[in-house]
C-alpha cells in the first residue's frame, strides 16, 4: 500500500467542488488517512513547490496557493501516487482528458483544482511537510476485502 498527498486548491474550494473531488477518491477505493483545511503560509508553499523556483509561473503559483484556504489530504491505496495522478489528469485543464478531475472541471493552465505528489518519495516528503505523525490515521480498513482480492494473501 502507498500513501499520497493531495491538495484541493483554492479554486476548487471557492467553486464548491471540494466535496465532489474528495468523493472521487473515496469512490475509487482510496482510504482517507488525514484531512484538514488550512491557509498555507507562503514559506510552506515555496518549500512545497521548491522544484519550480525560478520558472516563470513560480511567483503567480505561490500567490494562487497562498491566497485562501486549501484542503490537505493524505490518502492510501495500492499504487496511490500513480492512480491519483491518472485521476487528476494532465496539468493544463484544457489538455486533460474528459473523465479526469481537471478534464471535467478545469480549463486553466494554473487554476487546475488539485495537487497530487508525483512519486512515492515526494509523497512522503510532502506528507511530512503538512502533517504531524499523530494527525495520520492508518486504521484497519474493514472494506479492504471488497476493494481488493485478498484471497491469495496479496492485495490484487
Ligand atoms: N503551473 C502553472 N503554469 C505552468 C505550469 C504549472 O501555473 O506552465 C501551475 C499549476 O497550478 C500546476 C503547478 O504549477 O499544477 C505545479 O506544476 P507541475 O508541473 O508540478 O504540475 P502538476 O504536478 O500539478 O500536474
Ligand atoms: Mg507537480
Amino acid at each position: 500500500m502507498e500513501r499520497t498527498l493531495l491538495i484541493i486548491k483554492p479554486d476548487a474550494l471557492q467553486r464548491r467542488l471540494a466535496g465532489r473531488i474528495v468523493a472521487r477518491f473515496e469512490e475509487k477505493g482510496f482510504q482517507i488517512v488525514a484531512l484538514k483545511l488550512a491557509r498555507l503560509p507562503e514559506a510552506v508553499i515555496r518549500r512545497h513547490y521548491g522544484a519550480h523556483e525560478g520558472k516563470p509561473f513560480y511567483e503567480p503559483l505561490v500567490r494562487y496557493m497562498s491566497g485562501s484556504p486549501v484542503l490537505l489530504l493524505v490518502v492510501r491505496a495500492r499504487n496511490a501516487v500513480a492512480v491519483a495522478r491518472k485521476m487528476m489528469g494532465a496539468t493544463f485543464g484544457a489538455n486533460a482528458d474528459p473523465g479526469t478531475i481537471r478534464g471535467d472541471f478545469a480549463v486553466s493552465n494554473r487554476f487546475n483544482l488539485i495537487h497530487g505528489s508525483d512519486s512515492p518519495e515526494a509523497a512522503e516528503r510532502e506528507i511530512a511537510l503538512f502533517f504531524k505523525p499523530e494527525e495520520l490515521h492508518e486504521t484497519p480498513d474493514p472494506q479492504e476485502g471488497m476493494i481488493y482480492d485478498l484471497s491469495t494473501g496479496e492485495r490484487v
Side-chain angles (χ1 to χ4, degrees), residues 9 15 24-27 32 79 125:
K9 294 180 174 182
R15 291 177 53 198
R24 289 195 176 209
F25 291 92
E26 283 202 292
E27 288 163 350
I32 296 176
N79 295 327
R125 186 176 64 241

Side-chain angles (χ1 to χ4, degrees), residues 71-123:
L71 205 56
L72 297 157
L73 289 106
V74 178
V75 292
R76 186 171 174 268
R78 186 164 164 264
N79 295 327
V81 169
V83 175
R85 295 280 298 188
K86 222 177 207 180
M87 291 168 66
M88 287 160 49
T91 301
F92 296 166
N95 296 342
D97 288 336
T100 65
I101 293 162
R102 289 164 169 172
D104 286 351
F105 300 126
V107 74
S108 168
N109 290 358
R110 181 166 304 123
F111 290 1
N112 58 4
L113 309 170
I114 182 166
H115 164 83
S117 311
D118 64 8
S119 70
E121 299 69 38

